Amino acid sequence: MLLKKAFLVSNFLVHRSGFKEKPVLSFIRFHSSSSMEDKLLKDYDDQQVRLMEEPCILVNEKDEVIGTASKKSCHLLGNINSGMLHRAFSVFLFNSKNELLLQQRSDAKITFPGLFTNTCCSHPLNFDLERDEKDAMGVKRAAQRKLFHELGITPDQIPLNIFQYLTRIQYKAENIPEDGKFGENEIDYVLIVRKDVDLSINPNEVKCVRYVNKDQLQELLTSSESGKVILTPWFHLICKHFLFKWWDGLENLKKMQDHQNIHNFTN
């Protein structure tokens, strides 16, 4: 039975449930290495530290693959300030009532802990299946993997053919709370899914979740402007520039697709 918890914003209710692994996806696992003893990460959650070993995909500003680096390396401010750029994705999942599923990131997260954001945000990894650029299939596979990891949404509920790839944004941001260590510098693929799904929340990744309509999201944005809550920078950018227009056009998103341009918000 789902438990109700405060969403940390007035008039918001959230749902949480215990996370149980299902044998639907085999997770990519990484062995810890000497970098795991790095003093930079010694005070962080062990599970989140292990995930910093994941091999992300390095790209240039045209989103052309130029190499690979660990998630930790990609998020170090020193590397970001030297121009290291990696590929990412953001999923916006709507139910049959056209309500958007939001999450609050776990306090265990190393980057942007406790912040409110869209349904799921992460990175395709440097493996053949997730490097596949045809129809953004690699990014879609990564999104399917992370929706299961974070929210327990099994792949049979969200087959790859229902992901709609709309556009890409490039942005840069320092960690919140500011720590002088980490940040983001990404080319972010925006994916939309319309599906009623069952959730089984992984508390190491997600603190709480809630479906919102447009008015409720506007309330959250107003709360963020007054400093009552903090949104992730990518979510704030997408809300400000794109989301409400997409929301109004959910019945025909194809005409809103822009696969040619990368919208640059780094300046």
Side-chain angles (χ1 to χ4, degrees):
M1 185 172 177
L2 294 176
L3 304 176
K4 292 185 176 180
K5 276 187 164 277
F7 192 60
L8 305 185
V9 186
S10 61
N11 302 321
F12 278 75
L13 291 176
V14 304
H15 305 288
R16 287 189 60 177
S17 68
F19 175 75
K20 296 179 181 179
E21 271 195 17
K22 302 175 178 68
V24 180
L25 282 182
S26 53
F27 284 114
I28 301 162
R29 301 192 183 275
F30 300 90
H31 299 288
S32 57
S33 66
S34 59
S35 65
M36 292 297 97
E37 282 93 51
D38 192 294
K39 292 180 181 179
L40 195 64
L41 297 174
K42 68 181 178 66
D43 296 323
Y44 293 100
D45 175 84
D46 287 345
Q47 291 184 56
Q48 293 298 319
V49 168
R50 284 193 293 273
L51 290 172
M52 292 297 254
E53 289 283 277
E54 291 180 329
C56 293
I57 300 169
L58 299 181
V59 294
N60 60 22
E61 291 195 349
K62 295 180 181 180
D63 194 29
E64 297 167 334
V65 176
I66 59 172
T68 184
S70 70
K71 182 179 174 183
K72 174 191 166 186
S73 294
C74 288
H75 292 82
L76 287 173
L77 274 180
N79 291 335
I80 289 169
N81 293 334
S82 297
M84 185 178 283
L85 180 65
H86 63 278
R87 188 174 284 169
F89 65 82
S90 290
V91 177
F92 291 75
L93 185 147
F94 294 85
N95 64 15
S96 58
K97 299 177 183 178
N98 286 347
E99 296 170 323
L100 174 64
L101 180 61
L102 303 183
Q103 68 158 274
Q104 183 182 15
R105 291 164 66 85
S106 166
D107 291 333
K109 301 288 282 185
I110 293 171
T111 55
F112 307 97
L115 271 59
F116 296 89
T117 195
N118 51 288
T119 311
C120 181
C121 328
S122 193
H123 315 89
L125 301 182
N126 188 45
F127 300 103
D128 289 344
L129 287 176
E130 295 190 10
R131 282 195 304 264
D132 184 358
E133 295 182 351
K134 185 178 180 181
D135 300 322
M137 286 302 294
V139 171
K140 293 175 184 178
R141 290 186 183 105
Q144 192 184 59
R145 170 175 56 82
K146 287 301 289 185
L147 283 163
F148 177 62
H149 178 212
E150 294 188 2
L151 298 166
I153 303 172
T154 54
D156 58 295
Q157 297 184 76
I158 45 166
L160 294 175
N161 62 5
I162 73 169
F163 286 89
Q164 297 192 66
Y165 159 43
L166 287 195
T167 194
R168 291 167 289 179
I169 69 167
Q170 181 180 348
Y171 74 95
K172 184 188 292 188
E174 290 197 26
N175 203 12
I176 302 172
E178 218 171 284
D179 57 12
K181 302 175 186 176
F182 298 107
E184 288 283 11
N185 190 27
E186 300 181 330
I187 289 182
D188 191 20
Y189 285 64
V190 180
L191 304 173
I192 288 184
V193 177
R194 296 183 71 200
K195 188 70 164 51
D196 292 327
V197 295
D198 297 320
L199 303 176
S200 183
I201 307 303
N202 178 352
N204 189 252
E205 291 287 329
V206 177
K207 192 171 186 177
C208 58
V209 295
R210 169 91 188 324
Y211 283 98
V212 297
N213 59 33
K214 282 187 280 190
D215 290 340
Q216 291 167 324
L217 180 59
Q218 190 59 61
E219 179 186 339
L220 184 62
L221 291 170
T222 300
S223 296
S224 74
E225 289 165 7
S226 64
K228 292 180 182 177
V229 297
I230 305 176
L231 307 181
T232 59
W234 61 89
F235 181 47
H236 185 267
L237 280 170
I238 292 169
C239 287
K240 180 179 177 181
H241 294 279
F242 304 107
L243 183 59
F244 289 96
K245 177 179 70 175
W246 293 336
W247 209 325
D248 289 335
L250 284 175
E251 299 301 328
N252 189 11
L253 286 172
K254 198 160 209 133
K255 67 179 183 180
M256 300 188 189
Q257 290 177 348
D258 179 5
H259 297 172
Q260 303 304 312
N261 296 305
I262 299 171
H263 304 276
N264 193 322
F265 296 105
T266 59
N267 299 323

